[in-house]
Amino acid sequence: MSMIEFKNVEKYYGDFHALKNINLEIDDGETVVLIGPSGSGKSTLIRTINGLEPVQAGQLLVNGYDLADKKTDMNKIRKNVGMVFQHFNLYENKTTLENIMLAPRLVLHRDEAENKRIALELLDQVGLADKGGNLPKQLSGGQKQRVAIARSLAMKPKALLFDEPTSALDPEMIGDVLSVMKDIAKDSSMTTLVVTHEMGFAKQVADRVIFMADGQILEDDKTADFFGAP
Ligand code: ADP
Ligand code: ADP
């Protein structure tokens, strides 16, 4: 089944035509990398998938719900679609452990002991087992991003969207974040869509690469075809 399906989707910011006739299908468990010049609409496209940006025409099916239909309950989408941002968006006055436990507690009403067990396991998975008691300001950018990833994973989403997750990081921090993302991409139970300029990452883990320019999809190829034969 397709986790994400765009059919003739159009997106405008006022008069500005940001997404032009987008047709795109992403299957369950697929890992797709989205590339293209700055201002081409990558961030807009990814933000439409969890309803952060409304679309004005076409059909946008996510986990079976049509986001182009105003009657669709966005909470049903957001429970199943996680997002990791360039600038982390952590709760600054909460510890890393609390950052991870908050949404599952409030949205999923997960049992507190179970919630903590899962959060600690995720902290360990992203290499921050000893940082549960720290506030975000006590962490490096790369560590904050790994907390943000753990926080998204705690909701056990069906799809995880990454919007330039390493662009705001110092070069020496990027490797650790990419390595966590590679593990996620290998998990075939989750659909992963990543906007990034990291071509090495795309080559290594993407099933497909999509190239956008000027609000349009210009290429949509299997990774090996996109980068050409070795
Ligand atoms: P990318 O992620 O590829 O850099 P964006 O999706 O951020 O591109 O932006 C695509 C275009 O839409 C840009 O020209 C940008 O200025 C414009 N844009 C993005 N967000 C808004 C907004 N909220 N209002 C108006 N224009 C916007
Ligand atoms: P980033 O590169 O981190 O995505 P941007 O500067 O592209 O940051 O966008 C930051 C915010 O400003 C986003 O919420 C985006 O929607 C909005 N934005 C971007 N371009 C425009 C624009 N031309 N007019 C209005 N809002 C915009």
Side-chain angles (χ1 to χ4, degrees), residues 57 116 171:
K116 187 164 184 183

Side-chain angles (χ1 to χ4, degrees), residues 36-198:
S38 178
S40 57
K42 307 181 297 296
S43 179
T44 299
L45 187 147
I46 210 167
R47 290 160 67 93
T48 63
I49 297 170
N50 71 346
L52 281 175
E53 292 289 352
V55 301
Q56 280 79 41
Q59 255 194 334
L60 172 44
L61 301 171
V62 178
N63 200 26
Y65 296 98
D66 186 2
L67 273 74
D69 183 344
K70 290 190 174 55
K71 294 193 288 292
T72 297
D73 177 6
M74 287 302 158
N75 291 321
K76 289 212 164 63
I77 308 293
R78 293 200 180 123
K79 255 190 216 177
N80 290 309
V81 182
M83 180 126 173
V84 175
F85 300 90
Q86 193 174 345
H87 295 288
F88 330 124
N89 299 4
L90 295 174
Y91 304 106
E92 291 294 331
N93 60 344
K94 298 194 186 300
T95 64
T96 60
L97 196 62
E98 264 301 308
N99 263 280
I100 298 170
M101 290 172 67
L102 198 62
R105 181 189 299 132
L106 297 181
V107 180
L108 305 180
H109 310 291
R110 184 177 288 155
D111 167 78
E112 191 65 11
E114 172 79 348
N115 197 16
K116 187 164 184 183
R117 187 188 63 73
I118 291 171
L120 289 170
E121 204 175 276
L122 286 168
L123 267 180
D124 188 42
Q125 187 184 327
V126 300
L128 297 172
D130 56 341
K131 302 289 185 200
N134 289 51
L135 292 171
K137 69 176 177 214
Q138 298 168 312
L139 302 176
S140 72
Q143 290 173 333
K144 280 190 237 193
Q145 194 58 300
R146 284 182 279 150
V147 172
I149 293 171
R151 181 179 58 175
S152 290
L153 292 174
M155 291 293 284
K156 299 192 184 295
K158 289 189 176 154
L160 191 48
L161 313 172
F162 291 88
D163 191 358
E164 300 208 21
T166 59
S167 299
L169 302 179
D170 292 334
E172 69 270 24
M173 308 280 170
I174 291 176
D176 287 339
V177 172
L178 289 179
S179 129
V180 167
M181 290 170 61
K182 280 176 195 166
D183 289 341
I184 292 171
K186 281 185 209 138
D187 173 359
S188 59
S189 68
M190 201 160 55
T191 307
T192 313
L193 180 58
V194 185
V195 175
T196 185
H197 299 284
E198 298 288 337

